[in-house]
Amino acid sequence: MEILIGRDKETGKLRLIAGGKTVLWGTERLPETVLEEHFKLTFANDTIRLKNLNINAYTYVDGQAVENKKVSRQQTIELGASRYTFDWHALDEFVPPEADIRPLETVWTEYEDQNIALQIAERKFNTLRSTTGLITMVAIAMSIATGGKSSWYVILYAIAIVASLVFFVKAYVDSSKMPQKRQELSRRFQRSYTCPHCGRFLGNQPYDILAQNEHCTYCKAKFIH
């Protein structure tokens, strides 16, 4: 694919032409030093090649004037003596950008593991709390079996009371800490589980489900996975 890029004569906006389709980009009028046919980009075999179309109108890549050069979206293209900066997003209607989502698999795995760890910790604590009831039941049974003559049921009662007090204090402290931990985990996940191109949060769908999508639902960037 070849995209011809320059200044539209009537509106002064950036103009892109490819395959019989014309797109005007932006709202500002370009400087007169940007020509109507200033340069073109050729896309082939996963490479982008820039060609300056007028020897009297310079095209700069990362500050260097070029005539014909292989380029990438990470480089800065400037046009004419005024050094108008070309916006790579202007190409999106012709060539959808790419977004490598492979690092998001690790983000999802870590989030899932930490979420499960919090659930396990809560269940373990609730299991331990239930032991106080079990100790109390044993103490009652021992009291009945011995007719109240054994001192062991008193000791078991005391252990149950102390354990209940400890678990109560811990549950009270965790009642504020646990929601905070979940909230912080969720915030970190939402900041990290985003489209590499537009930065939008991609939702709580697992990575293997996300990887079934061909592109971002927001910016339409093509997913690499």
Side-chain angles (χ1 to χ4, degrees):
M1 172 186 287
E2 287 189 351
I3 302 178
L4 183 65
I5 301 168
R7 179 175 54 85
D8 182 62
K9 185 177 181 179
E10 294 182 2
T11 64
K13 297 180 180 179
L14 184 70
R15 183 183 64 188
L16 300 92
I17 303 175
K21 179 181 179 180
T22 299
V23 171
L24 299 181
W25 175 262
T27 58
E28 63 178 312
R29 293 185 64 89
L30 275 59
E32 295 291 331
T33 55
V34 179
L35 304 184
E36 293 181 33
E37 295 184 355
H38 200 105
F39 75 101
K40 72 175 180 179
L41 293 174
T42 302
F43 294 77
N45 300 323
D46 296 326
T47 63
I48 309 173
R49 183 161 289 278
L50 179 151
K51 183 178 181 181
N52 184 52
L53 297 178
N54 193 311
I55 193 171
N56 296 317
Y58 296 110
T59 301
Y60 301 88
V61 176
D62 291 339
Q64 299 294 320
V66 299
E67 291 300 322
N68 196 317
K69 181 178 176 61
K70 182 180 176 181
V71 296
S72 70
R73 282 179 176 260
Q74 286 68 47
Q75 294 180 292
T76 300
I77 298 176
E78 297 170 309
L79 309 178
S82 56
R83 298 293 185 99
Y84 169 80
T85 302
F86 172 70
D87 187 349
W88 282 96
H89 289 96
L91 300 175
D92 291 352
E93 289 196 39
F94 295 108
V95 184
E98 294 182 341
D100 186 354
I101 65 171
R102 288 173 292 186
L104 297 183
E105 183 174 10
T106 300
V107 175
W108 171 261
T109 300
E110 291 178 351
Y111 169 72
E112 191 174 39
D113 289 347
Q114 292 175 22
N115 200 25
I116 292 175
L118 289 177
Q119 293 178 10
I120 291 175
E122 284 183 316
R123 290 177 181 178
K124 284 183 176 180
F125 176 70
N126 290 332
T127 300
L128 288 174
R129 287 182 66 179
S130 66
T131 59
T132 59
L134 179 62
I135 294 173
T136 301
M137 291 176 62
V138 172
I140 294 173
M142 185 175 292
S143 173
I144 295 173
T146 61
K149 296 180 181 180
S150 173
S151 61
W152 279 104
Y153 78 91
V154 177
I155 296 174
L156 290 175
Y157 271 132
I159 292 175
I161 292 172
V162 172
S164 297
L165 181 61
V166 171
F167 287 132
F168 172 79
V169 172
K170 188 177 187 320
Y172 179 79
V173 173
D174 287 351
S175 65
S176 60
K177 284 187 176 181
M178 193 58 70
Q180 290 176 354
K181 288 181 179 180
R182 290 190 178 280
Q183 186 179 52
E184 179 58 28
L185 176 61
S186 178
R187 285 177 177 174
R188 289 200 309 269
F189 175 66
Q190 291 177 11
R191 288 195 299 264
S192 304
Y193 204 61
T194 59
C195 171
H197 183 256
C198 68
R200 298 281 191 90
F201 176 54
L202 295 172
N204 290 306
Q205 55 184 329
Y207 177 80
D208 57 345
I209 302 299
L210 176 66
Q212 295 177 14
N213 299 326
E214 294 184 356
H215 56 76
C216 173
T217 56
Y218 300 104
C219 66
K220 306 304 179 184
K222 180 181 179 182
F223 283 162
I224 299 175
H225 48 72

